[in-house]
Amino acid sequence: MTSTALQSPPTAPQILRRCRELVAPALAEAIGGLHPWVAEMAGYALGRCEIGGAPATHGQGKGVRQALAVLGAEAAGGPGAAGVPGAVAVELVHTFSLLHDDIMDGDALRRGRPALWKAYGTGPAVLAGDALFALAVETLTAAPATAHAAAAVRHLTAALRDLVHGQADDLLFADRPWTGPEAVGVGEYESMAEHKTGALLGCALALGAQLAGAPPETADALDRAGRHLGVAFQIADDVLGIWGEPAVTGKPVHSDLRQGKKTLPVLVALNAPGHPALAELLAAPAALDDTGVRKAAALVERAGGRTVALREARRHLAAADALLATASLAPRPAEELRSVLSSLAHRAI
């Protein structure tokens, strides 16, 4: 191996893997303290095992949020280990939110497998989600640095409040009309995305920094950067929800259109002049069939929905990068953080 290769900076997948490996023992220990049945469901939801507890035969998720907590600690000048309690907490909260999301949205698949409520039942899935939520808070209260842990718990609970706020808006959007004065606006959508998705990403970065002893202004800058990332992330999910490959998304093609979700590409297209056919199609009382969703996807793209949505996602990514550039961060961890954010951006953008 050449010296150049040895000095090459790590790639985003390598950074994510390093962070997952650092967090894995603490995550396993936390889950292991649950009731055995609940622990099995938690392991299934996290991709660590199959139904019945057998080891998983597929890859787990990227672990983005836990990696952000570790990188937040390192970027603040501390060791990655300082951010591990925050990483465990945000991973548990994220998984809890997905369990309840799938129930509320009626999604039968998650990452190409039956969603937990389909695999174990709705009641057990709610129970598992509640257990993960409680365990997340407990994990932070037990963090070594007591003063920093107290601030971290306050930050996590505030992020949870925002997450619920965003989820509530998302559910209410479903009952609002596609057009007219009561229609969902693009600004409302972005506020929902910041709360529902951005709050936890920002929290992950800030928790790591707080647990490493960072000053409040550094943690605040990281939190705001994560919120911008979350909006971009949600928009990317919207794009994948219409045009993504099932092998990548783990959901049927055009899944968001089939469900009539108010996503940014659709909202942008509905606001474009001269496209009443899309509004008529979406407002039809019957659910869209295969022909209908293909037609709707084509109309959204023709009206510029996909192009404008991706441009908006890039704007939020640029805002996140600008915040990182102005924060007082350790150079190497900050560069690794940017590498991860850039990689995430290219998942659909």
Side-chain angles (χ1 to χ4, degrees), residues 50-343:
E50 304 296 345
I51 300 171
T57 57
H58 58 86
Q60 298 178 28
K62 293 184 180 70
V64 170
R65 288 154 189 83
Q66 55 185 287
L68 293 182
V70 170
L71 293 172
E74 293 175 344
V84 167
V88 172
V90 294
E91 189 67 18
L92 293 174
V93 166
H94 174 56
T95 306
F96 140 76
S97 71
L98 294 181
L99 298 189
H100 288 193
D101 249 9
D102 287 343
I103 294 170
M104 287 184 282
D105 294 343
D107 286 337
L109 292 176
R110 168 68 59 183
R111 294 173 184 155
R113 299 193 302 167
L116 189 75
W117 70 277
K118 275 293 189 181
Y120 288 85
T122 302
V126 171
L127 177 65
D130 292 346
L132 293 178
F133 168 73
L135 185 59
V137 176
E138 181 185 352
T139 298
L140 274 188
T141 59
T146 306
H148 301 322
V153 169
R154 288 194 295 272
H155 204 120
L156 179 68
T157 53
L160 280 167
R161 182 188 62 222
D162 279 355
L163 189 155
V164 171
H165 186 293
Q167 183 65 55
D169 280 341
D170 196 27
L171 288 173
L172 289 170
F173 286 175
D175 294 326
R176 289 171 60 179
W178 289 104
T179 58
E182 296 301 316
V184 178
V186 170
E188 287 181 283
Y189 166 91
E190 293 207 1
S191 175
M192 177 278 294
E194 181 192 333
H195 286 95
K196 180 181 175 181
T197 306
L200 198 55
L201 290 172
C203 179
L205 282 167
L207 284 185
Q210 286 176 315
L211 292 170
E217 57 269 21
T218 299
D220 180 64
L222 289 171
D223 181 86
R224 287 185 288 132
R227 284 173 178 266
H228 279 292
L229 173 64
V231 178
F233 207 77
Q234 185 64 57
I235 294 171
D237 264 359
D238 285 357
V239 172
L240 289 171
I242 298 177
W243 295 283
E245 293 292 333
V248 175
T249 64
K251 295 182 179 182
V253 67
H254 301 142
S255 59
D256 283 355
L257 283 174
R258 292 178 190 277
Q259 295 175 11
K261 294 193 72 172
K262 307 277 193 316
T263 60
L264 189 62
V266 176
L267 297 178
V268 167
L270 287 170
N271 284 321
H275 291 281
L278 177 62
E280 292 173 8
L281 189 61
L282 294 172
L288 294 178
D289 57 15
D290 289 348
T291 301
V293 292
R294 284 196 297 270
K295 183 178 179 182
L299 288 170
V300 171
E301 185 147 22
R302 193 179 308 156
R306 186 176 191 173
T307 300
V308 173
L310 293 178
R311 185 170 67 226
E312 189 65 5
R314 293 188 191 99
R315 184 180 72 81
H316 281 283
L317 287 169
D321 193 62
L323 283 163
L324 295 179
T326 58
S328 179
L329 303 177
R332 184 191 59 78
E335 191 56 41
E336 290 195 357
L337 181 55
R338 286 192 182 88
S339 176
V340 169
L341 298 191
S342 176
S343 173

